[in-house]
Every structure is written in C-alpha cells, then in structure tokens.
Amino acid sequence: GCKMKEQRVPFFDIQLPYELALKIFQYLGRTELGRCAQVSRTWKVLAEDEVLWYSLCQREGYLPDTSISDCSCWKLALQDCRAKERTLRTNWKNRIGAVSQLQYELGKVLCDVHSCDGVAIAGYTSGDVRLWDTRTWDYTAPILEPTCGSADPGPQPHVSFVRINSSLAVAAYEDGTVNVWSLMIGREPIHHYQHNQRIQALALGLRGAAVATASGFEVKVESPDDRGYWQTTAQFEIQKLVNFLHMVPGGVGKPVTIAAAEDIVYLLKAEEPGRVLHSVYGQPVTCLDVSASEAAFGVKGFGWLLNETNKILLYSLETGQCVTKIGSSLGDFSCVNLQDSPPWMLATGNKDRRVRVYDLRRSTSLCSLYAHHLGVSAVQMDDWKIVSGGEEGLVCVWDQRMGTKLWEMHARHPVRHIWFNTHSLITANIPDEKSPRGASIMDDDLTAHRRHRGIIYAYEFSVDQLARESTLPICRSSYDEVTGYNYNIGLAVPYDNIR
C-alpha cells in the first residue's frame, strides 16, 4: 500500500497516478513548470522529471541527436543551451568574435566561392581549387589536385565555378572540364568529365552525389551508380542558354534539376523528357533558388507597361503550377533565397537597392530595407536576422524584426557569396574583372596585386565551437602541404572584438 501511495500525486481534490500526472505536465512550458515546482514537494519532483525537460529540449530544437540517458539533468542542459544562444545572439549583434581572411596568394584572382557547413571552397584564375575548414583553429586548407597527368607546366585554365556539399567538392573550368573530389577520400579527383563548349552553370545537390552542368544547349547530370562508378545519368537538349542551374535538395531516387534559360524555366528529371515549368516570352528570369518542394525565381517585366513590374514567382515542383506571385518592383530581382529561409519565408535582393523579406502565405512584404546603393548581390536570413551583400562590396547584418542595421563590413568587389549558421559566417567578395589591366599579372609573376584579388572572410561568434582538427579526412593536417608556401591565415586574436 505504501508504494501505491508514493506513486499517487495530489491533484486539487483528487489523487492521480504519477504517470498520468506526468502526461498532464507534458503540456506545460518552461515557465509553467517552474511555477508548478513551487506548489508542493510532490509537484516539485513531478515538475523536474527528466522526461519533461528532455522533451522540452527536443521540442525547442536543442541537442537533437541525444537520448534521455545521455544527460543526468535536462533542466540544467536546457538552461545552458538557452544561455549559449543568448550569448551568441549578443555576439552577432555586437560583432564580437574572431574574423579571418582566407587568402591564397598563388591563386591570383578569385573566381568563385561556395560553402557548406563551415567548409569553404574557392577557385582561382591560376586553376587552383582550395578548401578551408573554418570549423578548426588552424583552418587547414588543402589544395585539391587536378586530374592525374594534367599537371603540364603551361598555364592551367581558370576555374569558372566551384560547389561543395557534405561529401563532395566540384570545380568546372574555362576549358569545359569538370572535376569531382570526395571529401572523404583524398585530394585526387574521383571523377572527371568534359564538355566541348564553355560551361555556363554548375549545380550540386545539397546531399547525395549528383552533379549537373550546363554547356551550350545541353544540361548533363552525372552521378555514381550503386557500385560507385560515375556515369552520365541524364542529358537534356534545351532551346536556350542556361543562366541558372539548381538541383532539388533532398530528393530520394533520381536527381531533379531546375534550369532557367533566358525566359524559360525547365524541370529536368532523369529518365523523363524535360518539362517546361514556366515560360513567358520576353520576360527573362533574373535569379533562381529551389527548396525540396518549390522553385522561386525573379521575372523581369516588359518595362514599358506600367503594370508589368518585376515579380518573384513561386512554383510547386510537384504540381508544376504557380503557387504565388509576390513583389512588384521597378528594379530587377537580383537574388532570391528560399532554401535557407525559415518556413513560409523568402528573402530577396533587388537592383533597386532593397532587401525584402516576404511571407509566402500572405504574399506580403514583411520588411523592406534600403541596403546597397549599387544593388543587392547576395542574401540569407534566419528567424531573427538577415545578412545581405551588395555590388559595392558591403556585407550588412540586419535585425529583421526591428528593421535596423546592426553592423557592416566593406571590401573591394561585389559580394557574391554569403553563408551563415548559428555561430559562423562566411562571405566572399569576387572581382568581376578576372585579368585586370595594368596589374602586372604576368605569367612569371606569382601573385596578383592584393586589391585586384578578391577576398573571403570567415567570422566566428562562438567561444567553444572551434575544433582542434577537421572531421573531414581531406582537410586533416596529417597531409603534407602541397607547396612550400603556406599563406594560411593570420587569425585574429580569438575573441578580440572585430570592431
């Protein structure tokens, strides 16, 4: 009888079994549980039950890959996570942290930059491709080797595009060649293929191993089969030259590619004929992004008709129908970010100098920020902030709810790449002019003048995020540095204020 009594919890004028009382308490939040803990001793035990705090942690998105047995006090764990989050937000807002320049002098001029989970890839006019793992202290930065046997002494072709995901790095070169490296294996390419014309666009899925390239009137998709042998999975002939190319993230099965070619947007699925998703004659697409279920793109109006302004169209990839039309601007939409935005949100940049955030359910603009006087070139948002980059070289960080600018950084050349997560930010200023005149870049001169080169910045806002060594085999310092030069970074004193 005594044991039974222990398991019953007084609930106003009745006694409830502990499990049932626990079920009721599961509907309460942090504050309510705190209040309940002050009611009585029994309620305190109940309100501090590990099950409740573990599920609160999970519900609020903290420590997602843990099980209840991993921690002895989940209430403390949640408090700790929240405190860290507050510190991070304060650091972001006040620009407190470390900032580093990722530079490689021998690369001459920067051609393209991309990043994924804190690992940045950069391609240069020297033909070199370099990786930086910014999650580690010494920012190990291997140079990825070109194809075996191609190391002839003559000048290598410029890099046109680079892309990276969690397992692969890809580079496309001016002479139409494409190299694919595995981040898990080493610095030699695992796949190499060739187009006989200039490559206009390169895309790599967020996960999985499929690469798409557009050259001439052809879009080609390459991926490995079940045994790991790479092959051409799909080839599409289209009517116009591709301006933008994206792979649909997270698709199981055959890779799906979205291509925008002048005024036509195609949906390209392996083993099916290419489908036209959208086409309005004379209204070219000015930017494109895709999520797992939708494609968002800017469309240029005719201009001479007042009601034909520039818009963003959102299409469902499943039905192929236009879901919503948003915005109405006299300037062209120059960038759109759907994939990294919170649910139902969309961040855009426009040549009219404004960054706008739209609520897709209401098709309304939540905020419009006067940001970059030469036009917006890159944008990303999360639930409280927006980071935008401009043609004039400014990177601005905004508080989305307040609509105010928190801080800005300037470098020469347009900002062509922005990526951030909770604790770090990577930005790249890439020159439009790849072979500057009068810059004394002769072939025997190893370095381009600093101001013509372009620059990558890596910011770290968290005290305890940096690892001693990269988790990627390709970035481990056990490799010998390929060249005798080591222009790695002068890292700012950690936790110096970057102001």
Side-chain angles (χ1 to χ4, degrees):
C2 177
K3 194 155 185 214
M4 276 305 292
K5 221 158 145 182
E6 233 173 55
Q7 288 297 319
R8 300 188 84 74
V9 178
F11 239 85
F12 308 105
D13 48 2
I14 55 167
Q15 299 276 324
L16 283 184
Y18 188 86
E19 294 304 315
L20 193 55
L22 195 61
K23 273 208 165 55
I24 294 170
F25 271 40
Q26 271 182 336
Y27 291 98
L28 303 180
R30 289 186 310 270
T31 329
E32 290 100 2
L33 284 176
R35 288 184 190 134
C36 291
Q38 294 165 351
V39 171
S40 69
R41 216 175 273 167
T42 335
W43 273 40
K44 184 174 163 54
V45 170
L46 187 64
E48 291 186 349
D49 193 294
E50 293 304 317
V51 172
L52 296 176
W53 289 93
Y54 170 71
S55 65
L56 265 178
C57 247
Q58 299 295 305
R59 216 162 45 213
E60 294 189 24
Y62 300 115
L63 310 170
D65 304 321
T66 49
S67 70
I68 193 161
S69 54
D70 291 345
C71 177
S72 57
C73 179
W74 283 100
K75 186 178 177 179
L76 273 178
L78 181 62
Q79 279 170 349
D80 190 36
C81 287
R82 285 174 56 78
K84 271 188 187 153
E85 191 172 62
R86 276 194 299 274
T87 308
L88 265 180
R89 191 172 290 209
T90 306
N91 288 357
W92 265 98
K93 284 185 171 174
N94 300 308
R95 199 166 48 162
I96 299 167
V99 60
S100 318
Q101 299 184 358
L102 311 189
Q103 282 187 330
Y104 173 55
E105 324 250 317
L106 298 183
K108 299 184 183 172
V109 180
L110 195 55
C111 294
D112 194 25
V113 174
H114 191 240
S115 51
C116 172
D117 291 340
V119 183
I121 182 172
Y124 298 87
T125 54
S126 64
D128 285 328
V129 176
R130 194 135 206 206
L131 278 188
W132 272 278
D133 190 342
T134 69
R135 303 168 300 183
T136 59
W137 262 122
D138 58 353
Y139 284 24
T140 33
I143 293 173
L144 300 181
E145 296 289 314
T147 335
C148 317
S150 74
D152 44 25
Q156 299 294 314
H158 290 189
V159 176
S160 313
F161 304 102
V162 287
R163 293 290 180 270
I164 188 169
N165 67 13
S166 49
S167 57
L168 295 179
V170 189
Y173 301 83
E174 280 211 321
D175 63 352
T177 58
V178 181
N179 279 332
V180 183
W181 296 268
S182 159
L183 302 183
M184 303 305 155
I185 294 173
R187 296 179 185 174
E188 299 280 322
I190 53 168
H191 182 51
H192 169 89
Y193 66 100
Q194 176 89 40
H195 281 276
N196 47 20
Q197 281 170 291
R198 205 176 73 80
I199 292 172
Q200 268 123 355
L202 165 70
L204 174 65
L206 196 59
R207 278 173 287 282
V211 177
T213 40
S215 169
F217 297 105
E218 172 187 68
V219 174
K220 206 175 199 180
V221 181
E222 304 263 319
S223 62
D225 64 13
D226 304 338
R227 292 170 304 163
Y229 293 110
W230 281 75
Q231 58 197 19
T232 305
T233 324
Q235 234 165 331
F236 302 94
E237 288 296 319
I238 54 182
Q239 287 107 43
K240 298 186 176 181
L241 295 178
V242 169
N243 310 84
F244 306 101
L245 192 65
H246 280 278
M247 303 208 76
V248 177
V252 246
K254 297 277 177 260
V256 181
T257 310
I258 305 295
E262 292 175 34
D263 49 16
I264 306 176
V265 179
Y266 293 93
L267 191 147
L268 307 171
K269 218 174 191 169
E271 295 172 10
E272 292 178 23
R275 248 172 69 204
V276 172
L277 194 63
H278 167 88
S279 169
V280 175
Y281 182 74
Q283 296 200 350
V285 170
T286 56
C287 55
L288 168 74
D289 194 29
V290 298
S291 68
S293 57
E294 289 163 326
F297 46 90
V299 170
K300 202 174 165 68
F302 282 114
W304 62 83
L305 295 171
L306 276 175
N307 59 346
E308 279 295 342
T309 50
N310 304 299
K311 292 184 174 58
I312 295 270
L313 305 185
L314 189 75
Y315 270 77
S316 156
L317 299 180
E318 199 183 334
T319 64
Q321 299 297 310
C322 180
V323 181
T324 180
K325 288 183 185 188
I326 44 182
S328 175
S329 160
L330 293 172
D332 298 354
F333 283 98
S334 47
C335 50
V336 57
N337 192 329
L338 175 67
Q339 195 169 306
D340 304 314
S341 296
W344 306 108
M345 306 278 255
L346 180 73
T348 67
N350 195 296
K351 281 194 178 159
D352 71 1
R353 311 169 184 191
R354 289 189 171 272
V355 168
R356 293 178 179 86
V357 171
Y358 292 97
D359 180 329
L360 296 174
R361 284 166 295 194
R362 298 190 192 85
S363 306
T364 52
S365 157
L366 292 179
C367 69
S368 170
L369 310 165
Y370 182 87
H372 301 277
H373 67 266
L374 295 180
V376 187
S377 53
V379 67
Q380 188 187 328
M381 71 178 291
D382 65 9
D383 54 354
W384 70 272
K385 66 180 169 291
I386 302 163
V387 183
S388 64
E391 294 284 343
E392 74 299 302
L394 270 181
V395 168
C396 301
V397 179
W398 308 82
D399 185 313
Q400 185 209 319
R401 294 201 184 97
M402 306 294 286
T404 51
K405 186 188 289 184
L406 296 167
W407 51 271
E408 61 182 38
M409 278 285 272
H410 181 264
R412 271 171 201 271
H413 310 297
V415 180
R416 296 278 174 232
H417 177 70
I418 284 176
W419 171 90
F420 68 79
N421 60 11
T422 52
H423 57 86
S424 56
L425 165 69
I426 295 172
T427 66
N429 296 66
I430 299 176
D432 287 336
E433 182 58 71
K434 303 296 184 225
S435 40
R437 288 173 292 285
S440 84
I441 307 189
M442 312 306 279
D443 274 339
D444 57 350
D445 178 13
L446 282 178
T447 59
H449 192 286
R450 188 158 291 232
R451 70 167 180 269
H452 299 296
R453 236 187 249 144
I455 185 104
I456 307 168
Y457 282 107
Y459 300 80
E460 180 55 60
F461 298 100
S462 154
V463 193
D464 54 1
Q465 287 291 346
L466 294 176
R468 291 259 28 111
E469 192 175 46
S470 173
T471 51
L472 295 176
I474 199 168
C475 289
R476 294 270 164 78
S477 42
S478 55
Y479 281 109
D480 297 325
E481 191 69 324
V482 187
T483 56
Y485 298 87
N486 192 344
Y487 289 114
N488 274 10
I489 298 144
L491 196 74
V493 182
Y495 276 82
D496 237 14
N497 213 327
I498 0 188
R499 280 177 293 213

